[in-house]
Amino acid sequence: MSILKSTDKKANDGTWSSRKPRQTRHKIISSNHDGREELNDQVIDYDKLRWLCCQDEPSGDKDSSTPSVCDHSLFMQYYHQMFVNAKATPKTVVEQGDTHSLLAATNISTGCLSTLSNHEKKETPPAEVISHEIKDHMALLHKERKIADPEVIKKNRIKDLRRLLRKLPFERSSEDNKVIFKHLKAFPVLSSQTTTKELKEICSVVTLDVWKDDDYTVFGNTGFYIVLKGSVVAQTDPWIRLKAKNEVKPTRNTTFLLERDLPELGVGDCFGCLEGIEGEEVNSQILTVKTNTLPCEFLKVSSNDYKRISQQLKEKDLTEKCNLVQPCESYKLWPRQSLLKLAELIEWAFFPENTVLVTEGVLCPFIGFIKSGECHVLRQVEVNHKLRNGKEEKRLKQVVMGKLTTSQSFGEISVLEEDTITCSIVTATDVTLGIITPEKISELDETTRSLLLQTNKKTFGNLSKDEIYTEYIEQELQREWYQFKQGVVVDVINSSGIQPGCGKWSKSGSQ
């Protein structure tokens, strides 16, 4: 039994299908249009084929043409080894003198192996194949790794700002404004001059200013600028005016310095001012720069927009503080003018639960107006305490005499008259307060100070010692009665052998 190689010779009649009846034809690998070859199901290993042909020779007499039964069974047992599955394996190059099997060279010649090079992108396995190689999972994890390079982060930030600012302010969505706010917080020159509320409102009015002409002057007195593309050269010193520093107003004669080399401002640098300089025209030569590398793109915060936003937030905050003070019992009949003066001194403060705001017998650190939460008012009382050995001693106990909730205040008399407070105040929940410190109180005029003294009284200062003792006794009796009831319930459960969660006691009350 042997395999005959096919020939491409045509029959004498010239038809394409004419061939010898017993001639064997092998499939020829066809080539696609893109240069890649199609893979057959099997590839012949000519080393194994040559070995099988040697084993196929008849045993014993070489002249005998009849194969033995043993040779036939041997061939049938090993003939499948001459076929090799054409799986994609790394491409190898056979050099002269290579002692490896000719199977590699055969596969290369037939195009059955993968031609993927090390420099090409590796194909990802299908979703249904679960890999147990850690390198496959680590590769996916590394793709999701966040970039930590500051230069790359800065470049992406500028790119996002340029993309979002191409929209007009009324075209941007709330999500766009959130992204702008996140990026503007990374510019300390701007974020240090504004509050969080102001910066959020600024994000809705910032615009993109584009300059396509060379050597043009940009007037910084009209607003605050951040360079997003290109570069400019400063024409004045200083070229930026910070709000927090309260700098003296620059003048034209001392700032416009063309003869002196001033720095070049690139992407990410700032110039101009948030608050326009009073007494100067918009096109004055104060805080000016000149375009250098074109085109120039700037993020602009207009001075007029910032002034309007700042004024609106101040009015809103002042109204909120007035609404905090006016509902309090002592301030309901106050005139509007005095309420506004008092509200201007209020600052917001937050205190967590179980925080001691004021201690009995010391000066109150501030006047407090409760916006949200609840506080307990405690008074000290001296009582006899029985020790385990039967002796008694004097001890100070805290008694809860009342509570303070929303629209109530404390500490006015202690701060105004510099007198010790008569009670301790502890937060029972998280509390938000509007506070006025003693330093702020000194800024009030005499009329408002007198009004404060006339309309307020000491916080729980009218309590007598008898009332405090009576309240302490009632609270102690309630505590003892509660402990007695709990003890009786525990004794009944233990004496009856009741085990909660077992048997009929595992049923809930609803059942």
Side-chain angles (χ1 to χ4, degrees):
M1 184 179 186
S2 62
I3 299 177
L4 301 178
K5 295 184 180 179
S6 63
T7 59
D8 295 335
K9 295 180 181 180
K10 296 182 179 180
N12 295 333
D13 56 359
T15 60
W16 64 272
S17 61
S18 60
R19 64 180 178 85
K20 294 180 180 181
R22 300 186 62 83
Q23 185 178 8
T24 303
R25 286 187 177 181
H26 296 288
K27 292 183 180 181
I28 301 177
I29 300 174
S30 60
S31 178
N32 294 333
H33 296 289
D34 56 357
R36 295 181 299 175
E37 295 177 342
E38 295 178 354
L39 302 180
N40 285 328
D41 294 337
Q42 293 178 332
V43 177
I44 298 176
D45 184 355
Y46 286 97
D47 286 345
K48 294 290 184 180
L49 176 62
R50 198 174 293 110
W51 178 80
L52 282 173
C53 290
C54 293
Q55 297 295 329
D56 192 31
E57 294 179 358
S59 60
D61 188 7
K62 301 294 181 183
D63 295 334
S64 178
S65 59
T66 304
S68 64
V69 178
C70 181
D71 294 335
H72 178 73
S73 61
L74 182 66
F75 182 87
M76 295 301 295
Q77 182 179 358
Y78 293 105
Y79 85 97
H80 63 275
Q81 294 185 3
M82 60 178 281
F83 301 104
V84 180
N85 292 331
K87 294 182 179 180
T89 57
K91 183 177 179 180
T92 58
V93 179
V94 179
E95 298 180 355
Q96 294 182 357
D98 193 359
T99 59
H100 291 82
S101 172
L102 294 178
L103 174 61
T106 302
N107 288 337
I108 294 173
S109 64
T110 57
C112 296
L113 300 183
S114 173
T115 58
L116 182 65
S117 64
N118 293 332
H119 301 287
E120 295 177 353
K121 185 178 180 181
K122 296 182 180 180
E123 295 182 357
T124 56
E128 60 272 8
V129 178
I130 301 177
S131 174
H132 297 283
E133 292 289 339
I134 191 172
K135 63 181 182 180
D136 298 335
H137 301 283
M138 292 300 293
L140 297 176
L141 179 63
H142 291 166
K143 289 179 182 179
E144 299 176 357
R145 183 175 57 188
K146 294 183 179 180
I147 300 175
D149 188 359
E151 293 297 327
V152 177
I153 294 175
K154 178 181 177 181
K155 183 178 179 181
N156 293 336
R157 179 178 294 116
I158 297 297
K159 183 178 179 180
D160 286 347
L161 287 174
R162 291 180 58 206
R163 174 178 58 84
L164 294 174
L165 292 178
R166 285 191 177 93
K167 302 178 183 179
L168 294 176
F170 60 86
E171 295 176 339
R172 293 196 291 264
S173 63
S174 59
E175 294 298 327
D176 295 338
N177 291 333
K178 288 180 181 179
V179 175
I180 295 175
F181 172 72
K182 181 184 70 174
H183 291 323
L184 290 186
K185 285 194 300 183
F187 293 91
V189 180
L190 177 60
S191 59
S192 62
Q193 301 184 72
T194 60
T195 63
T196 303
K197 291 183 179 181
E198 289 178 345
L199 192 58
K200 286 183 179 180
E201 294 296 331
I202 286 174
C203 294
S204 61
V205 297
V206 290
T207 57
L208 183 66
D209 209 1
V210 181
W211 296 72
K212 298 182 180 180
D213 298 320
D214 192 11
D215 292 337
Y216 265 61
T217 300
V218 182
F219 300 99
N221 193 30
T222 60
F224 186 85
Y225 295 84
I226 300 177
V227 182
L228 300 182
K229 186 178 181 181
S231 63
V232 295
V233 178
Q235 287 186 308
T236 60
D237 188 11
W239 55 88
I240 185 171
R241 184 170 183 263
L242 300 180
K243 170 189 171 184
K245 290 186 177 181
N246 295 323
E247 297 177 351
V248 180
K249 182 182 72 172
T251 60
R252 173 179 176 181
N253 296 332
T254 59
T255 59
F256 199 68
L257 305 173
L258 293 177
E259 299 177 358
R260 173 180 162 190
D261 292 334
L262 292 175
E264 181 179 357
L265 306 179
V267 175
D269 294 329
C270 308
F271 65 93
C273 60
L274 277 176
E275 295 179 338
I277 301 175
E278 298 180 0
E280 294 291 338
E281 297 181 357
V282 174
N283 59 350
S284 62
Q285 294 178 342
I286 296 174
L287 307 175
T288 58
V289 296
K290 182 176 64 175
T291 58
N292 185 23
T293 304
L294 299 179
C296 291
E297 296 183 4
F298 311 116
L299 179 149
K300 180 182 179 181
V301 182
S302 174
S303 297
N304 294 331
D305 289 337
Y306 175 75
K307 183 178 180 181
R308 175 177 53 82
I309 290 172
S310 180
Q311 186 65 27
Q312 289 178 352
L313 290 177
K314 286 181 180 178
E315 293 178 356
K316 181 179 178 181
D317 186 59
L318 188 61
T319 302
E320 185 178 5
K321 291 175 180 178
C322 285
N323 294 336
L324 173 66
V325 176
Q326 192 170 14
C328 297
E329 186 66 28
S330 302
Y331 302 92
K332 288 184 177 180
L333 301 179
W334 272 43
R336 182 68 176 178
Q337 189 70 18
S338 299
L339 282 175
L340 290 175
K341 291 180 180 180
L342 192 65
E344 291 175 355
L345 307 179
I346 293 178
E347 299 176 357
W348 297 112
F350 173 81
F351 298 95
E353 184 181 358
N354 293 329
T355 301
V356 179
L357 301 180
V358 186
T359 303
E360 182 179 351
V362 300
L363 292 176
C364 188
F366 50 76
I367 299 174
F369 300 90
I370 301 178
K371 180 181 179 182
S372 63
E374 182 178 313
C375 298
H376 285 172
V377 179
L378 308 178
R379 290 293 300 267
Q380 291 181 352
V381 59
E382 188 177 12
V383 297
N384 293 329
H385 179 73
K386 190 174 183 179
L387 301 177
R388 292 184 178 180
N389 57 9
K391 295 183 179 181
E392 294 185 354
E393 64 178 8
K394 296 288 186 179
R395 285 191 179 181
L396 291 177
K397 297 287 186 178
Q398 297 281 357
V399 187
V400 179
M401 302 303 300
K403 62 181 180 180
L404 298 174
T405 57
T406 306
S407 301
Q408 289 185 311
S409 62
F410 60 89
E412 290 90 349
I413 302 300
S414 178
V415 172
L416 290 172
E417 297 185 348
E418 297 183 358
D419 190 11
T420 58
I421 196 167
T422 57
C423 60
S424 299
I425 299 177
V426 181
T427 59
T429 61
D430 294 342
V431 175
T432 302
L433 294 178
I435 62 174
I436 303 177
T437 59
E439 294 78 13
K440 295 288 185 179
I441 288 293
S442 61
E443 300 177 5
L444 284 176
D445 57 286
E446 290 295 330
T447 304
T448 309
R449 289 173 62 90
S450 301
L451 194 57
L452 271 173
L453 287 172
Q454 293 174 6
T455 56
N456 287 279
K457 57 184 179 181
K458 290 184 177 182
T459 306
F460 287 84
N462 56 349
L463 294 176
S464 63
K465 290 185 178 181
D466 293 338
E467 292 176 344
I468 299 174
Y469 276 110
T470 303
E471 184 66 26
Y472 171 75
I473 293 172
E474 290 181 359
Q475 293 182 11
E476 284 296 312
L477 291 175
Q478 290 179 0
R479 182 180 61 83
E480 292 177 359
W481 172 241
Y482 177 77
Q483 292 178 353
F484 174 75
K485 289 191 296 183
Q486 290 295 109
V488 171
V489 172
V490 172
D491 292 341
V492 171
I493 290 176
N494 294 335
S495 62
S496 302
I498 298 173
Q499 296 182 2
C502 299
K504 66 178 182 180
W505 307 105
S506 62
K507 297 180 181 181
S508 62
S510 60
Q511 296 177 348

